[in-house]
Amino acid sequence: MSTTVAVTTNGVPVNASWEDLVTSALLGTDRRPLRAEDGAPVGPGELLDTAALHTVRRRAALRPAAGVALPEPAPADPRPPLPAAARRRLAQLLADRSAPPSGGRRGAAPDLTELIPQWLASAGAHGYRAPAELLPALLDAARARTDLRPHVLAFAGPRGLWLAGLNPEWRFALRASSRGAQRPGIEDPEAVRRLWEEGLFAERVALLGAVREQDPGAARALLAGTWATERAEDRLMFLDSLRSGLSGADEAFLEEALADRSRNVRATAAELLSALPGSALARRMAARATTCVNPDRTGGAVSVAVEAPHECDAAMQRDGVVSAPPSGRGERSWWLGQLVEAAPLGVWRERFDGRTAPELVMLPVADGWAGELHAAWSRAAVRQRDPDWARALLGAPSAPLANGPGTASLAERSKLLATLPSSERALWVAGFIAAHGLSEAFQLLGVCSVPWDGPLGRAVVDALDIARDAGSYPWSFSGVMGLAERCLNPAEADRLAVLTTTPDEPEGASPGAGGYWSEAFQRLVSTLRLRAAMDAELAQDGAERPGPHGTERPGPHGAE
């Protein structure tokens, strides 16, 4: 490339081609001088600087181009910086994120990849800001793993969003997190109106959530003003925001949404209305349900008689009852379940002479309808967040799975558990593990708060120890072991060290199982110690801020 280009060196424009630079360098600036644009001679140092810039351009095989406008500077992030040790730890975790997952792996080294979500949650609880030099790696990690995005975007803060706007590969950050979207102060009504009418979808979702937190009525009025012109998928998302602060004041708007042209919107509106026991829809559903489920006093003892609906009329469908059942499901049982699920739970106490939830759940149900009825009551307890009904349907944790008082479905039980206080939840799951072992408990562990309470942690470790002593296949418990690495209290590490030795294999044990178990417990102990070190690093220079255990964190599956 022999193009003559004005290169700025030390603030002085120099017009020179590569050939001019080479000749001047060979002959010397005295014999073959170069001149800057202002006519001043270029000295040897400026000549070498100019040659260096030309060299970079020649290697890039690009013609020089006019400079582009620089972006606006990143916004300030007032949060305190990470302690140095925690910053180094984050860099280590991000560098290791390409490691294979832990399930079934060998070795005693902790799986650093699986600790990233916990580290981010703890850093967020401390209120630190992300180091600027690690923002690209954080955004790359969030692009690859959607489960990291909420924590990454909260930790990255305004600078992360600013950086994401400069790289198309990170644009997910601008639309994925309503929490991170830019939004005006809601005290400015004109700014709120303008953003609601003109903003991007993520910005509007964030705005609606912010207004809803401060003034539920204002948020509802904002939504009602543009409801008729919104797309169906947007209406569904906006309607979901009404779950926060749901009250009887929302009933009129939700009743209108029952006539929406989108089936999903109608179903969501009906679900929200059924969560309001005093709503007109709840009363209509109660009237329908009580024509199907009634006390039977034949022979003196009270039982539950069930007569499922024979049709799903237009009024039922308007109130959210889906007429077509899933494959393999009978129509009448499908309709019955939806009616009972949407009826206020208090109606059953009135219908059955003041009986409490535990007494109702223990009543015999005629004609094999017990499973269907109890499953519908379970869904109603979850929807209405009723802990008394949840306890009744869960029953004692030691009860046989198939013969308990409520649903036998572990998925339904995990949802019921989520309605209980965290300490009660942990005790129930600990009792379940003691009675039934770990093979049935994985879903239930997912709704327990982190770190696991002492009784729950001990129950998990005791069950793993029993499985080891029995010579069971250790890889059958790799999922629970992975949960234990992330969820056990780090203070348990020293107590568990005794389990890291290789046990004698009992007769009939899986060949080599003892070695696998020893490695698994070594990995568990080393991971717990690493988590303790991570917490200590984050606590440095930050004792005045809430620690990572100052507020309860959700369980590994996000339920709380």
Side-chain angles (χ1 to χ4, degrees):
M1 271 183 246
S2 60
T3 307
T4 300
V5 180
V7 180
T8 301
T9 304
N10 295 333
V12 181
V14 179
N15 288 305
S17 67
W18 178 252
E19 291 77 7
D20 292 337
L21 293 171
V22 171
T23 302
S24 184
L26 291 173
L27 298 179
T29 54
D30 291 337
R31 297 177 59 188
R32 189 64 177 267
L34 292 176
R35 302 273 176 187
E37 282 190 350
D38 60 2
V42 174
E46 292 169 332
L47 169 65
L48 293 175
D49 289 342
T50 306
L53 290 174
H54 265 286
T55 300
V56 171
R57 284 177 170 155
R58 286 168 61 82
R59 288 177 176 173
L62 293 174
R63 289 183 179 275
V68 297
L70 293 176
E72 291 293 323
D77 189 337
R79 295 176 295 176
L82 274 175
R87 186 169 62 250
R88 290 191 295 270
R89 180 73 67 189
L90 175 59
Q92 179 190 17
L93 295 175
L94 292 172
D96 195 69
R97 68 183 179 86
S98 59
S102 61
R105 65 187 174 90
R106 293 297 302 267
D111 184 354
L112 301 185
T113 304
E114 291 303 313
L115 295 179
I116 294 176
Q118 192 168 79
W119 189 97
L120 290 169
S122 296
H126 279 284
Y128 292 123
R129 71 168 180 262
E133 69 275 14
L134 294 179
L135 285 174
L138 281 165
L139 291 170
D140 277 342
R143 180 168 64 93
R145 285 181 58 178
T146 56
D147 64 306
L148 293 179
R149 291 180 182 178
H151 287 312
V152 165
L153 295 177
F155 183 51
R159 290 182 173 180
L161 290 176
W162 172 86
L163 189 61
L166 302 177
N167 186 342
E169 292 186 350
W170 298 331
R171 289 297 175 89
F172 70 87
L174 304 180
R175 27 173 223 275
S177 174
S178 61
R179 200 168 35 173
Q182 298 292 325
R183 58 193 185 191
I186 63 172
E187 67 278 356
D188 184 351
E190 179 57 27
V192 168
R193 182 197 62 78
R194 186 166 56 252
L195 183 58
W196 178 249
E197 294 178 355
E198 303 173 6
L200 299 173
F201 175 69
E203 293 173 324
R204 299 179 73 209
V205 171
L207 176 66
L208 190 63
V211 175
R212 183 73 176 177
E213 289 175 6
Q214 298 296 321
D215 187 345
R220 188 175 58 252
L222 202 64
L223 183 55
T226 60
W227 182 258
T229 60
E230 304 287 356
R231 300 182 307 166
E233 55 267 34
D234 293 352
R235 292 199 305 277
L236 184 61
M237 289 292 293
F238 291 144
L239 194 63
D240 203 58
S241 71
L242 298 186
R243 295 181 190 276
S244 174
L246 183 67
S247 70
D250 300 312
E251 182 178 359
F253 178 80
L254 292 172
E255 275 285 343
E256 292 183 9
L258 289 175
D260 194 89
R261 55 188 180 274
S262 165
R263 184 180 68 181
N264 289 333
V265 172
R266 294 195 302 271
T268 300
E271 179 189 347
L272 292 172
L273 283 168
S274 67
L276 296 171
S279 68
L281 179 138
R283 292 194 297 273
R284 294 193 297 269
M285 287 299 199
R288 295 177 180 123
T290 52
T291 63
C292 301
V293 180
N294 286 286
D296 182 355
R297 298 179 175 84
T298 304
V302 176
S303 62
V304 182
V306 177
E307 178 68 24
H310 292 272
E311 64 173 342
C312 182
D313 57 31
M316 288 169 62
Q317 294 181 49
R318 181 184 180 276
D319 283 348
V321 178
V322 178
S323 59
S327 177
R329 184 80 179 273
E331 281 186 335
R332 296 181 65 197
S333 64
W334 172 244
W335 300 334
L336 172 71
Q338 294 178 80
L339 296 182
V340 174
E341 176 183 355
L345 288 165
V347 74
W348 304 115
R349 183 162 190 161
E350 300 172 7
R351 197 70 173 175
F352 284 82
D353 305 323
R355 284 178 169 82
T356 62
E359 293 170 336
L360 285 165
V361 168
M362 295 305 296
L363 288 176
V365 182
D367 302 324
W369 284 102
E372 188 69 49
L373 180 62
H374 289 173
W377 276 343
S378 295
R379 295 192 297 272
V382 171
R383 181 180 295 188
Q384 297 171 39
R385 307 297 296 177
D386 192 312
D388 291 334
W389 272 88
R391 293 185 188 98
L393 290 158
L394 283 167
S398 58
L401 291 176
N403 300 320
T407 175
S409 164
L410 289 173
E412 293 287 352
R413 288 187 177 206
S414 65
K415 294 175 183 177
L416 289 169
L417 278 169
T419 68
L420 302 180
S422 61
S423 57
E424 183 179 356
R425 200 183 315 163
L427 283 173
W428 196 95
V429 177
F432 183 92
I433 292 171
H436 306 290
L438 285 171
S439 59
E440 302 287 350
F442 189 80
Q443 278 184 293
L444 306 180
L445 286 168
V447 298
C448 293
S449 301
V450 176
W452 288 338
D453 284 350
L456 176 57
R458 286 192 294 274
V460 171
V461 173
D462 289 346
L464 289 170
D465 193 19
I466 291 171
R468 181 189 68 155
D469 290 343
S472 302
Y473 286 104
W475 44 90
S476 301
F477 298 90
S478 60
V480 175
M481 188 65 80
L483 274 181
E485 291 173 14
R486 300 189 296 275
C487 303
L488 273 175
N489 193 320
E492 298 287 322
D494 291 339
R495 188 177 69 85
L496 300 178
V498 67
L499 300 177
T500 61
T501 58
T502 302
D504 296 331
E505 294 184 0
E507 184 178 351
S510 305
Y516 276 92
W517 277 111
S518 177
E519 285 185 358
F521 278 112
Q522 288 175 37
R523 185 167 61 247
L524 173 59
V525 170
S526 60
T527 301
L528 293 178
R529 287 175 173 159
L530 176 58
R531 285 175 50 208
M534 286 165 42
D535 283 348
E537 292 161 358
L538 287 166
Q540 291 177 10
D541 301 325
E544 71 278 4
R545 288 179 292 275
H549 304 311
T551 56
E552 183 179 287
R553 294 201 304 273
H557 297 174
E560 184 51 30

